[in-house]
Amino acid sequence: MTELDATAAHFVEAGVALLIAHPQRILERGLRIEDVVHEADSSTATFFRKFNTKSDFLTTVVEHLTRTPLPADVRDTVRTQMTNSGASIRAAVSALVAHYFPAIVDQKSTTATLLDHVFRGPASAALAGGYRLRDDALLDAFEALFDPEGGAFRRPFTARSFAVTVNAIVDGFRIRSQVDPASVSADVMSDAVLAFLGAVVDTSGHHQHLDDVVGDVGGVPVEERPMPRDPRAAIVTAARDEFGKRGYFMTRMDDVADIAGVPRAACKTLFPTKPSVIVAALQSRVDRLRESVDDDQLLGLDELTILQNHMLRCAQLAADELEFMDALLVAVAHDTYGEPEGLISIKEKLNLPAIIAPVIARGQDSGVFRKSFGPVDLAAGITNTLLMRCFTRRQNSPQDNATFVGELLLDGLGTR
């Protein structure tokens, strides 16, 4: 943003004031230099000493429509208010909203912000930067507000999506206040923010999901439903949804059974543990991987090509079965003392490294691959590296992830 001296800034302030005060006139006649000079109580000669052309002036006006000042120490402000409010989150939030409410709904400031959006356009880096500053300030306020409680966000909310949503709430009140000020008050805004905090912030330490709150509010008893025609498939489908929303550890088989419409006892009979559901969901896909490697060998493909094909298929599996592959990774990585049989079942039935270990061994025997390590260890290293790449680079295509790991592990870092 261009830094202005006092005289230039005065002209810009006059231009902004005209835009805000007389938008209809600006549409009809444009922002005329003589009007700006008159508003600034100055002269045309002085104006052109500060701005070479009208275009330069208009560009500067747009740049200075709304400045987003760096926020002061938000944490200190909120902590002070928490102390003054006796550590009451409701009282602190209400007091903070009441303090800042006049600035939030200020007509000139709101109009300038809306004009800023219109003139800069949706791709403005300056506007995006301003929102990031506001998001960061909100997260600082959140940390200060819930520091004693250790609040966490209920999934699927994250720190960033929380900040974006609160800022959207504030923006909505700002706009509504310009056309319907009687309906917008500090009390209504603080109630909205507190309601959102109550739904999204979890201070129980149970790592809850937003559905837990919505379910409690609804209070509607579960409708009695007949047993699904295929209870096993219904349970797997429900487990996929629960793993995706809650993660492996927070998913409960009783919840899965209820969602699937299967009696809990029957669910436990079919799937005694969470790992058993993972096996049921992924077994056929893993069997297909094994069959594909066998087919490649029958067709006489070389070991290097077989490994490259296999990595692409594994990467595709990780993308297609995201929820269950995530759960598989956690179940295998975690030392699940309480489910030894289930863990053994996973390692035996979903043994991805075992699919390519014979191919690596054959390549070592033929001199294609080095014998620095055993084929089982190499197969595990390749599989683990590929899956970790897929989990941490989900925005990439399976082809990109498989190619990256293939070039790294099969070709190495050195030049030929």
Side-chain angles (χ1 to χ4, degrees):
M1 180 179 291
T2 307
E3 292 299 325
L4 304 176
D5 60 30
T7 303
H10 192 50
F11 281 121
V12 168
E13 289 169 2
V16 172
L18 289 171
L19 284 174
I20 293 172
H22 308 291
Q24 185 69 34
R25 185 191 304 171
I26 300 300
L27 282 175
E28 294 173 354
R29 302 162 49 185
L31 186 58
R32 303 193 308 174
I33 293 176
E34 53 266 39
D35 293 336
V36 173
V37 169
H38 177 75
E39 180 74 17
D41 194 21
S42 185
S43 66
T44 304
T46 303
F47 177 90
F48 281 108
R49 280 198 296 271
K50 298 299 177 181
F51 303 98
N52 293 327
T53 64
K54 181 179 179 180
S55 178
D56 290 341
F57 171 70
L58 294 176
T59 299
T60 307
V61 167
V62 171
E63 284 183 350
H64 290 75
L65 269 172
T66 56
R67 292 185 178 219
T68 304
L70 289 173
D73 195 333
V74 177
R75 286 189 179 90
D76 284 349
T77 301
V78 176
R79 287 191 185 111
T80 300
Q81 190 58 61
M82 282 290 284
T83 301
N84 296 340
S85 303
S88 166
I89 290 177
R90 179 176 184 82
V93 170
S94 297
L96 288 167
V97 171
H99 177 73
Y100 291 108
F101 186 76
I104 290 173
V105 299
D106 177 72
Q107 190 268 336
K108 291 183 178 179
S109 172
T110 302
T111 304
T113 299
L114 294 174
L115 289 172
D116 206 1
H117 280 74
V118 171
F119 289 138
R120 288 183 190 263
S124 168
L127 287 176
Y131 275 118
R132 282 193 294 271
L133 286 175
R134 291 174 57 189
D135 291 347
D136 291 342
L138 266 171
L139 292 177
D140 286 343
F142 172 84
E143 290 178 6
L145 199 62
F146 287 93
D147 185 41
E149 303 288 338
F153 298 110
R154 290 188 174 96
R155 297 177 66 187
F157 272 93
T158 63
R160 188 57 58 183
S161 62
F162 165 83
V164 168
T165 305
V166 174
N167 269 319
I169 292 172
V170 172
D171 283 346
F173 276 110
R174 292 187 74 194
I175 295 173
R176 179 68 178 267
S177 70
Q178 304 309 303
V179 296
D180 188 13
S183 67
V184 178
S185 66
D187 288 341
V188 172
M189 183 181 291
S190 63
D191 287 345
V193 173
L194 285 164
F196 182 68
L197 287 173
V200 171
V201 180
D202 171 25
T203 58
S204 68
H206 293 159
H207 307 287
Q208 293 177 319
H209 190 278
L210 194 63
D211 287 353
D212 297 326
V213 179
V214 175
D216 291 342
V217 172
V220 179
V222 177
E223 178 185 357
E224 290 292 333
R225 292 176 290 173
M227 174 85 79
R229 187 179 298 276
D230 188 347
R232 183 176 292 270
I235 292 169
V236 170
T237 299
R240 183 194 305 278
D241 186 52
E242 288 294 281
F243 282 138
K245 290 193 300 186
R246 303 177 189 275
Y248 178 79
F249 290 116
M250 294 307 300
T251 292
R252 298 171 63 250
M253 288 305 295
D254 284 348
D255 294 335
V256 171
D258 294 343
I259 293 169
V262 177
R264 294 181 178 183
C267 178
K268 192 168 185 64
T269 299
L270 294 174
F271 298 105
T273 63
K274 286 186 281 188
S276 63
V277 182
I278 298 173
V279 170
L282 297 177
Q283 183 71 73
S284 63
R285 291 294 299 263
V286 173
D287 289 343
R288 265 182 275 163
L289 288 177
R290 187 177 294 106
E291 291 170 358
S292 296
V293 170
D294 291 341
D295 289 345
D296 285 351
Q297 293 182 86
L298 286 174
L299 294 172
L301 299 182
D302 62 88
E303 291 81 4
L304 190 62
T305 301
I306 293 174
L307 286 182
Q308 290 170 334
N309 290 345
H310 176 72
M311 283 192 289
L312 177 56
R313 295 175 189 129
C314 276
Q316 190 63 57
L317 171 61
D320 293 344
E321 299 288 350
L322 183 63
E323 299 85 0
F324 284 116
M325 290 297 287
D326 273 351
L328 172 65
L329 177 69
V330 175
V332 172
H334 183 68
D335 191 8
T336 48
Y337 293 107
E339 298 177 328
E341 293 180 0
L343 191 59
I344 291 172
S345 176
I346 282 184
K347 290 182 175 179
E348 288 180 349
K349 296 185 177 182
L350 303 180
N351 193 343
L352 293 174
I355 297 175
I356 55 170
V359 177
I360 295 174
R362 199 175 74 212
Q364 289 177 324
D365 292 340
S366 64
V368 176
F369 303 132
R370 291 183 299 173
K371 296 185 177 181
S372 306
F373 302 96
V376 174
D377 285 341
L378 289 173
I382 290 173
T383 303
N384 294 341
T385 303
L386 174 63
L387 292 180
M388 186 57 65
R389 175 74 181 184
C390 292
F391 294 142
T392 57
R393 295 291 189 276
R394 296 179 181 181
Q395 72 275 15
N396 295 355
S397 69
Q399 177 72 56
D400 288 342
N401 285 329
T403 300
F404 176 87
V405 175
E407 291 183 357
L408 176 63
L409 297 183
L410 302 181
D411 297 338
L413 295 177
T415 59
R416 295 180 179 177

